Amino acid sequence: MNSPVGPLNAAGMLSIDHRELYREIRNFLLGLFPEASRQVVQAIQNNQPLPVNAIVMQILFSRNMDESVTTYTNPAPWIEGAAHVQNSVDTRLQLSFYGDKAQERSRVVYTLWKNHYGTENMVVCQPLYVNSYDRRPYINDANQYEDRWILDVALQYNPQVTYAQDFAESAGVTITPVAGA
């Protein structure tokens, strides 16, 4: 049977994963820096040089903020029911800003992450706080110092896992007396 959102299986379907978080943060950054469409990248790009004035996004870790909450839907007898298990998740994200625009861009994000602008411009997740804001220049492949500013930010999202759930409209009980009782 199919649910209103498609076929379910025992393995479940996750509503939000890290791909959606990266997409959301990238859109947030591009809303602030529309000229940076080729400069905002996800970390761990093997054998690829960073673009000039890059902004690199890297999820550091995630942890549950609460215990799971389970809800159930049984829309109709002919449609398979579902169980929905949801958590609130605290995710830490590192944003690294490189090049001549690093300080200016990082300061803009630092300021607006903790402002209503951040909450109004994100749907999949919500900004919580900025853990750290540091300048960390490094020596690049040409043996030259390059400017880098790093923001360690926290966000919250509420993923839900949905899996198939059988329901019964009624149950029959038969009492069988025990012999010799």
Side-chain angles (χ1 to χ4, degrees):
M1 299 221 165
N2 291 335
S3 77
V5 294
L8 296 174
N9 58 43
M13 296 184 323
L14 183 62
S15 64
I16 303 168
D17 64 13
H18 284 177
R19 287 182 308 236
E20 281 88 9
L21 295 179
Y22 279 121
R23 192 175 306 119
E24 178 97 326
I25 300 304
R26 186 174 195 282
N27 288 337
F28 172 78
L29 293 168
L30 291 177
L32 297 172
F33 315 113
E35 76 286 357
S37 66
R38 296 194 180 271
Q39 297 166 335
V40 179
V41 296
Q42 185 177 332
I44 311 176
Q45 303 293 324
N46 291 330
N47 300 318
Q48 297 293 320
L50 289 177
V52 174
N53 291 314
I55 302 172
V56 179
M57 308 174 293
Q58 177 64 52
I59 291 177
L60 302 174
F61 63 85
S62 293
R63 64 175 171 239
N64 287 346
M65 299 172 72
D66 57 10
E67 294 299 319
S68 300
V69 174
T70 305
T71 58
Y72 301 94
T73 55
N74 185 18
W78 61 89
I79 298 176
E80 185 174 73
H84 313 279
V85 183
Q86 186 257 314
N87 284 94
S88 297
V89 179
D90 172 12
T91 297
R92 292 276 290 283
L93 175 77
Q94 179 176 303
L95 298 172
S96 301
F97 298 81
Y98 294 85
D100 298 337
K101 298 181 179 184
Q103 191 280 326
E104 177 187 347
R105 285 178 169 175
S106 63
R107 175 51 69 178
V108 168
V109 173
Y110 175 79
T111 302
L112 295 181
W113 190 265
K114 303 185 310 177
N115 181 279
H116 66 87
Y117 179 88
T119 58
E120 290 176 356
N121 287 282
M122 292 188 212
V123 177
V124 173
C125 61
Q126 288 293 293
L128 293 176
Y129 57 89
V130 177
N131 191 53
S132 64
Y133 177 53
D134 300 309
R135 180 174 185 241
R136 295 187 193 162
Y138 73 103
I139 298 173
N140 64 19
D141 58 345
N143 211 25
Q144 299 295 311
Y145 281 98
E146 190 168 333
D147 210 8
R148 173 177 59 178
W149 286 79
I150 297 176
L151 282 176
D152 178 354
V153 299
L155 59 90
Q156 176 183 338
Y157 73 107
N158 302 312
Q160 179 173 280
V161 174
T162 301
Y163 62 90
Q165 177 68 49
D166 292 328
F167 291 89
E169 300 236 350
S170 63
V173 178
T174 304
I175 298 176
T176 308
V178 176

